[in-house]
Amino acid sequence: MALTIYNTLAREKQLFTPIDPKNVRMYVCGPTVYDYAHIGNARPVIVFDVLFRLLRHIYGEEHVTYVRNITDVEDKIIARAVERKVSIRDLTEGTAKIYQEDALALGCLAPTLEPRVTETMPEIVAMIERLVANNHAYVAEGHVLFHVPSDPDYGKLSRRSLDEMIAGARVEVAPYKKNPQDFILWKPSDENQPGWNSPWGWGRPGWHIECSAMGEKHLGEAFDIHGGGIDLQFPHHENEIAQSEGAHHGKPLANYWMHNGFLQVEGEKMSKSLGNFITIRELLAEKKFGGQQWHGKVLKLAMLSTHYRQPIDWTVDRLVQARSMLLDWSRVLHGAPQSDDLHNELLGALRDDLNTPGALAVLHGLWKGSHLSINDLRSLKRALNFLGVYEDEKQVDFAVGYEVLDVSKIENLIAERNAARKAKNFAEADRIRDELSTMKIAIEDGPSGTTWKVVS
RNA sequence: GGCCACGUGGCGGAGUGGUUACGCAGAGGUCUGCAAAACCUCGUACCCCGGUUCAAUUCCGGGCGUGGCCUCCA
């Protein structure tokens, strides 16, 4: 069965054919590490994790290379380090560590490689030198700039013409630019800014060149998939293409470009000024969203309930729904066996441009079937495990941050209630059930005794 | 202002030129001391206006709305 991917370059779904099935290569733009990642940043992490898992399944774990960079040189980093009176290295390493922990908590595998800009400086300088030699870049007042008119294909990803960009431009153009669209490859640093020696003096790279250099270094001149948020399509990815293809004599940088849609929070743009800015860490560990904490896999499942290219509205209600599913599933699946094979319909949905809502429909079918069929139950567990939304957690694990979760107290109350029931004191039995209910505990009287579960 | 994306039943959310997506919530039923769980049944949705078509939610055009990029913010 084939894998199809919506390719932003072509604006259509295409059959995925890797350059080398023995080494399928994917590059995803990672974070600029100056602050905690927010929930909008989590979307590409989650989406491309699922793609990574799918590719590994199709081509074999050893045959997929996933690179997600860490940008640790950037003007926001410099500003933040000054503001906090910490060294740049402490800031970037500390932030990168938090990012990796967040990604792990979200049920995402570590990428094969997580290169840093600071470790790629020779390659960046070399690539800029090549661009200058190829007449795609020029030096002006200590800066090196990419000369956009030197690239006849410029704009092919975002489908913008140079005329449109000039017409729409509202920015003040730096005087040393030959053309308003020209962008910086290298810029001078002063003694208070991080810098590296280069043929153009002490300086640092501009935004965009680092991804071109890291992609080339770790995946070669051309690779299969390049991913990121739709907001990066222009100018970042457009410029990446211009740089890499300019340095590689026009060889296409990536065959498939994938972009995840934007995220809103409760129907509004997430912004600090609106006060709805929410970090992954706050969702996991604080009670800032809906007044409660959320398990990372609840966040992942909630994210996957919308197709990756659609806009997503991040709401408390959506998290409650995702948590309900995991509470239901884990109650039955904890400790249960799982099948070896991935369910075919699930794979079919995922192979269709990562149709995760379609995959969820398959999971619901398996859940329904699991009440009768051990095979469906095993398949469900395997499928959830594959997606990284369930790894044999207990039900209570998903109830993070619940105020009252005292197991012995719960069990004592259940024992009291059963005594009352035996004595036909149903009023007392119901009172105890109500008490448990306020603790978000529901009980079920079954043929083999009374069981309890956590509810949303 | 320019370019682009999206608009599906109470909510979430796939998909399709004519046939039930699916989930949550809700209604009824079986079961139960009563519940819950489980199972069965139920909603006839596709922003507005034109056009193409035997037939459009699905294609085309226009409008409205929301959002993105163009500008530091993902």
Side-chain angles (χ1 to χ4, degrees):
Chain A
M1 216 198 307
L3 167 63
T4 58
I5 282 177
Y6 183 89
N7 189 349
T8 309
L9 264 181
R11 307 288 152 111
E12 65 177 16
K13 273 195 216 176
Q14 296 179 331
L15 186 66
F16 177 70
T17 312
I19 297 165
D20 175 8
K22 294 287 177 204
N23 186 17
V24 180
R25 288 157 286 163
M26 172 164 79
Y27 186 96
V28 174
C29 290
T32 299
V33 283
Y34 70 103
D35 207 343
Y36 288 76
H38 56 66
I39 189 61
N41 297 318
R43 195 170 191 193
V45 174
I46 289 170
V47 164
F48 292 104
D49 175 70
V50 172
L51 181 59
F52 182 39
R53 289 165 183 266
L54 181 63
L55 291 171
R56 279 156 55 105
H57 182 263
I58 296 171
Y59 296 98
E61 291 190 5
E62 306 305 310
H63 303 303
V64 182
T65 305
Y66 172 23
V67 173
R68 188 179 63 206
N69 67 286
I70 288 173
T71 296
D72 58 356
V73 179
E74 218 270 343
D75 287 3
K76 285 193 292 283
I77 294 172
I78 300 173
R80 184 60 55 89
V82 168
E83 189 186 312
R84 291 208 186 143
K85 298 186 172 68
V86 296
S87 76
I88 284 174
R89 183 136 200 104
D90 285 351
L91 175 66
T92 57
E93 283 313 299
T95 310
K97 186 164 173 285
I98 288 162
Y99 182 84
Q100 288 165 333
E101 288 170 2
D102 287 348
L104 193 69
L106 291 171
C108 297
L109 302 171
T112 318
L113 294 163
E114 293 188 275
R116 278 136 221 254
V117 181
T118 49
E119 296 164 354
T120 320
M121 220 39 83
E123 290 83 1
I124 289 173
V125 170
M127 183 175 265
I128 297 173
E129 284 185 300
R130 264 181 289 157
L131 286 169
V132 173
N134 294 347
N135 293 314
H136 284 299
Y138 58 93
V139 182
E141 298 183 22
H143 296 70
V144 186
L145 290 111
F146 188 92
H147 193 40
V148 168
S150 74
D151 177 7
D153 283 344
Y154 189 82
K156 69 180 173 186
L157 179 69
S158 56
R159 305 219 170 168
R160 287 160 198 249
S161 70
L162 291 181
D163 292 346
E164 280 167 15
M165 285 183 274
I166 293 164
R170 290 178 177 179
V171 227
E172 201 181 319
V173 179
Y176 46 78
K177 285 190 180 181
K178 284 188 186 171
N179 274 74
Q181 307 82 24
D182 292 353
F183 54 91
I184 288 175
L185 299 172
W186 189 265
K187 57 185 165 187
S189 292
D190 65 31
E191 62 278 9
N192 296 318
Q193 293 167 326
W196 289 261
N197 284 316
S198 81
W200 320 284
W202 176 253
R204 61 191 192 279
W207 181 41
H208 313 306
I209 190 68
E210 80 287 0
C211 280
S212 286
M214 286 186 277
E216 180 194 67
K217 180 177 179 181
H218 299 288
L219 296 175
E221 293 189 350
F223 46 89
D224 298 296
I225 297 169
H226 191 121
I230 187 72
D231 50 296
L232 293 177
Q233 185 185 308
F234 187 88
H236 184 57
H237 290 162
E238 197 70 71
N239 291 351
E240 238 185 286
I241 290 174
Q243 293 161 344
S244 293
E245 299 187 359
H248 303 144
H249 305 288
K251 193 170 183 178
L253 170 58
N255 289 143
Y256 303 87
W257 286 79
M258 296 177 71
H259 293 96
N260 63 268
F262 218 64
L263 174 144
Q264 283 183 272
V265 173
E266 299 286 0
E268 289 186 302
K269 179 188 167 107
M270 177 169 64
S271 74
K272 282 175 179 160
S273 56
L274 283 172
N276 62 354
F277 192 91
I278 184 90
T279 65
I280 301 168
R281 188 53 61 106
E282 287 168 340
L283 286 162
L284 292 170
E286 295 178 37
K287 299 190 175 180
K288 289 209 172 170
F289 195 68
Q292 48 200 310
Q293 288 171 255
W294 303 92
H295 189 101
K297 284 172 182 151
V298 169
L299 304 179
K300 187 179 197 186
L301 186 63
M303 195 70 88
L304 295 177
S305 66
T306 295
H307 182 84
Y308 76 93
R309 278 191 281 118
Q310 293 288 111
I312 190 171
D313 190 11
W314 193 256
T315 62
V316 173
D317 188 55
R318 139 182 257 122
L319 300 190
V320 170
Q321 285 203 18
R323 185 175 60 195
S324 295
M325 287 181 214
L326 284 172
L327 286 171
D328 279 349
W329 293 339
S330 58
R331 184 167 56 94
V332 172
L333 292 179
H334 175 66
Q338 74 176 45
S339 57
D340 298 327
D341 296 328
L342 260 183
H343 195 258
N344 242 327
E345 280 180 58
L346 175 94
L347 267 178
L350 294 177
R351 283 173 187 262
D352 179 15
D353 192 34
L354 241 46
N355 187 346
T356 52
L360 280 182
V362 176
L363 297 181
H364 288 127
L366 289 174
W367 167 241
K368 221 172 165 180
S370 72
H371 301 304
L372 296 170
S373 155
I374 184 72
N375 282 336
D376 280 359
L377 184 129
R378 293 166 77 238
S379 292
L380 176 64
K381 188 161 182 180
R382 171 77 179 104
L384 294 171
N385 199 270
F386 174 75
L387 290 169
V389 293
Y390 182 67
E391 284 156 300
D392 209 38
E393 286 87 350
K394 292 183 189 134
Q395 213 206 6
V396 292
D397 294 333
F398 294 111
V400 284
Y402 277 40
E403 289 298 342
V404 187
L405 250 183
D406 182 337
V407 173
S408 61
K409 185 179 176 190
I410 290 165
E411 283 170 355
N412 284 338
L413 283 169
I414 288 173
E416 281 178 38
R417 174 172 167 275
N418 281 336
R421 286 172 71 214
K422 211 162 197 171
K424 302 250 190 266
N425 185 356
F426 295 121
E428 174 65 4
D430 290 350
R431 189 200 63 74
I432 295 171
R433 183 166 60 202
D434 289 345
E435 186 181 342
L436 284 162
S437 176
T438 64
M439 297 159 63
K440 294 198 176 190
I441 300 299
I443 49 178
E444 295 172 15
D445 300 322
S448 54
T450 300
T451 58
W452 62 274
K453 64 171 183 172
V454 182
V455 293
S456 274

